[in-house]
Amino acid sequence: MDTEKKPLRADARRNYERLVEEAKRAFAARGVEASLEDIARNAGVGIGTLYRHFPTREALVETVLRERFDGQAVAARELLGSPEPLSALKTWLAGMGRQSASYRGLPELMVDVLDDDASPLYASCHAMRDAVSQLVERAKASGELRADVTAHELLVLLHALSWASEHLSGDKGLERLLELVFAGLRAS
């Protein structure tokens, strides 16, 4: 059985791209629970066209986020060369936290899919988690991070901090919360 997808016709490709761009705008303005009907209408297509391309909300969210998650995995690998392992981990977490907070409802969604291997977001989340695991292991090996901390725990904590930072004034709320947390995560 051939599992490769056929290339989209030009009109279908344009519809797909308009849906993705409109979903990005809608998620930024109204969160990941934005109306799919509104996304389709604003993209100039019917809801059936949206569902042909994206059979579930998670499939649409995954498509919108895949590029970001891939970028975060690349950023984690690039930070592996940093001479300061804990600083590299903090830098990555702050960047990921800003990404997570960019769409209201995303932190909760990401925590839910970390353990749901049936979710379309599972593979993207785990590729990113595998990349950051190496940063965590470097920080632990350097003696700067507690030995019992896991990448999974840090991601769940990061998503909680991203949610919490939405309720703080100023644009440095997430960084402040990360500093407070890392004061307790340092190896003693």
Side-chain angles (χ1 to χ4, degrees), residues 67-80:
E67 185 177 299
R68 287 180 173 200
F69 286 174
D70 291 348
Q72 287 299 319
V74 168
R77 287 190 291 273
E78 288 172 354
L79 286 166
L80 285 172

Side-chain angles (χ1 to χ4, degrees), residues 17-147:
E17 291 168 357
R18 284 196 312 256
L19 285 164
V20 170
E21 288 307 310
E22 184 53 41
K24 288 177 183 177
R25 281 191 286 278
F27 294 162
R30 295 180 295 286
V32 294
E33 292 299 320
S35 165
L36 296 180
E37 290 82 5
D38 288 348
I39 291 170
R41 183 176 42 257
N42 292 336
V45 302
I47 191 69
T49 299
L50 182 143
Y51 281 118
R52 271 192 298 284
H53 289 289
F54 308 102
T56 65
R57 176 181 300 278
E58 276 192 353
L60 179 57
V61 171
E62 191 276 335
T63 298
V64 168
L65 296 178
R66 185 181 321 122
E67 185 177 299
R68 287 180 173 200
F69 286 174
D70 291 348
Q72 287 299 319
V74 168
R77 287 190 291 273
E78 288 172 354
L79 286 166
L80 285 172
S82 171
E84 298 177 15
L86 187 61
S87 178
L89 178 59
K90 286 180 184 179
T91 297
W92 186 88
L93 287 169
M96 182 61 207
R98 283 188 296 277
Q99 296 260 337
S100 181
S102 64
Y103 296 145
R104 194 172 53 251
L106 184 57
E108 297 93 333
L109 177 66
M110 289 178 66
V111 168
D112 289 343
V113 302
L114 280 172
D115 294 317
D116 180 5
D117 60 357
S119 168
L121 289 167
Y122 183 83
S124 295
C125 283
H126 278 270
M128 184 180 47
R129 185 172 84 178
D130 291 345
V132 76
S133 291
Q134 295 176 48
L135 289 174
V136 169
E137 293 307 315
R138 278 190 74 232
K140 290 190 313 189
S142 74
E144 295 181 276
L145 186 66
R146 291 173 43 159

Side-chain angles (χ1 to χ4, degrees), residues 141-158:
S142 74
E144 295 181 276
L145 186 66
R146 291 173 43 159
D148 61 342
V149 175
T150 69
H152 182 81
E153 290 170 332
L154 285 179
L155 285 173
V156 170
L157 183 59
L158 175 64

